[in-house]
Amino acid sequence: MLDFLKESRGFDFTGYKRSSIRRRVVRRMQQINVESFTEYHDMLQVDTDEFTQLFNMVLINVTGFLRDPEAWRELADQVVPQILTSKPRGEPVRVWSAGCASGEEAYGLAMVFAEALGIEEFRQRVKVYATDVDEDALATARQATYGEKELQALPDEWRERYFERVGSRFAFRSDLRRCVIFGRNDLVQDAPIGRLDLLVCRNTLMYLNAETQAQVLRRFHFALNTTGVLFLGKAEMLLSHGRLFLPVDLKRRFFRKADQVDPSGRFGGALGRGQVAQTRAEVQLEDETLLLSPLATLVVTPDEVVAKANQRAEAQLGITSREIGRRFTELELCHRIAGLRSSYEDVRRNRTSLWQHEAEFSRSASETLFFDIQIVPLQGRSDDGVSVALFFTDVTRYRRMTAELQSAHRQVETAYEELQSTVEELETTNEELQSTVEELETTNEELQSTVEELETTNEELQSTNDELQSMNDELRDRTSQLDHANDFLESVLGSLRTAVVVVDTELIVQAWNGRADDLWGLRSDEAVGQHLLNLDIGLATERLRPLVRDVLHGDPPGEEPLRLEAINRRGRTVQLAITVSPLTGRDSRPTGVIVLMDQLDPPA
């Protein structure tokens, strides 16, 4: 079904978490009484409007002004001032609200920057780009009007300064509204907005699976300026994406690019212009040269942290993005290649190059590689230590040829096997330690997933509560209308000078007006619900049976009323003219009878 939606509608739900999207689709199926995905798939093929309903169900548009007030205070007090300080006066400021829903977040960002810059400078410098995949939500956001309840989270002075009353609602100021640009953007498929100073994407990544999250975060990394800030939701931590982003305030979910974050982790040491020794183009060129080098290469900083590793190092040595940022001496590589750690320490201490020939590295139980390792100190200005580059030249083929030549020498072979056994024992120990680390990482990721699921459930509950509130309001309106109609009907019946009795097809009294009460001395609450022929009144009700039955059978009522003598509530004899008319429903079939009783002579 998801493949069908992708092919026919152009929207790819396969990147969403399977448990979350299944829960939303099943809920929609329950609403329309569809039992299986196959049946619902068939419905989508024939009912084009159903896709819109499904789309609105899956995309939970729960938002609000200044959600998580503590994080927004941090944004206004520290993040935005630091962003503005790092830019020359007059230079444009670009902000992106990804997954903006109905627009509250985008207008909130506009107000924060207007407070920091002032209204005039805000209009000249700031552009807030707000995107979402839900066209209905974007249409609501473009209107920029909100009810009083939706503005309760804003300070009173902000409401007065940035909103104008339009009837019973409030509209965002039109002169500032031009600085907020809305458009459709699929974070998974569409290109990101570039050259950003602030990127806000709150409680959107938590709906995506790990692979799709990684894809989106790579695009976010490309979109941000070197001093740009990423602001995420409270359920999104980026623990497994340290190579792209590093936290500057993990509690409130503010991040910067990993290659540009101040080691102190706070805004006070953030990057400024002129602090980068090389231009961005030069850095990219050097990084690409290192990345494509035919030799496996590692670069270690003066504080013994692995800073870079190229593709060859990942393919041959297993150095993945998780190892970037770790201490070099803690890498499994140092334990699996004998003498590597001591050689590295010699280079750092003596600041001279060193070769380690035919170092053995067991990449798997069935494959062993051999490297000539050149360890080179790099020039730098730090007095705390020296950066080191390690170049691994694969000499496995030559080693194997040598081993084949020496295979005839039994003593050498025996010594090699004993050494290999020792290495395997060390490898087993290291693998057990690595397994323990991976189990801890898995547990941490499961906990993070649980937090995201809880946050998703909370937003679903909030969406359901909003729906129930709308239904209650509608039911309250319908009840008020019904009460008004009942009051109107009772007023009409009470104003007639003719006694009116309404019965259903079983001759059960349904209505009894005040004139009938005055004529027979029987109150409405005593008559309603009783059989007409069982009423204790001074009228021979059996004379009415033929007339009522004929009308219920569809026969037209007589042209002349039936004249009868009766005894009223005062015990006086009165003359009555009785008319019987059908009570018809929408299909023109009789659903009851209206009996009109007119007194011909005035009561004595």
Side-chain angles (χ1 to χ4, degrees), residues 262-275:
D262 179 31
S264 66
R266 297 297 299 171
F267 291 99
L271 294 170
R273 299 173 67 90
Q275 288 180 313

Side-chain angles (χ1 to χ4, degrees), residues 40-175:
Y40 190 52
H41 185 182
D42 296 338
M43 175 178 289
L44 288 172
Q45 289 179 317
V46 299
D47 187 356
T48 56
D49 295 334
E50 177 57 28
F51 176 79
T52 302
Q53 300 297 327
L54 175 63
F55 196 77
N56 292 333
M57 177 65 70
V58 173
L59 301 177
I60 305 174
N61 294 320
V62 175
T63 186
F65 285 103
L66 309 185
R67 295 181 72 190
D68 303 328
E70 185 178 352
W72 280 85
R73 281 194 295 270
E74 178 87 4
L75 177 69
D77 296 341
Q78 296 194 41
V79 180
V80 170
Q82 182 59 45
I83 291 175
L84 298 177
T85 301
S86 65
K87 300 182 71 66
R89 186 172 182 82
E91 185 174 330
V93 178
R94 294 166 62 86
V95 182
W96 181 15
S97 172
C100 66
S102 51
E104 287 92 331
E105 183 178 272
Y107 295 121
L109 291 169
M111 289 184 283
V112 168
F113 276 91
E115 287 291 306
L117 291 170
I119 300 297
E120 291 300 325
E121 190 173 355
F122 171 82
R123 287 201 297 251
Q124 296 173 6
R125 296 182 60 186
V126 180
K127 291 294 183 184
V128 179
Y129 300 93
T131 65
D132 203 283
V133 293
D134 190 344
E135 292 286 1
D136 293 339
L138 289 174
T140 301
R142 291 187 180 102
Q143 295 176 3
T145 61
Y146 301 95
E148 188 169 356
K149 180 180 178 181
E150 296 164 303
L151 300 182
Q152 289 180 352
L154 292 177
D156 294 338
E157 59 272 17
W158 285 25
R159 187 175 358 182
E160 296 295 331
R161 188 178 305 141
Y162 298 108
F163 288 87
E164 303 167 346
R165 180 178 285 276
V166 180
S168 62
R169 297 177 66 80
F170 295 85
F172 192 69
R173 284 180 52 168
S174 57
D175 57 331

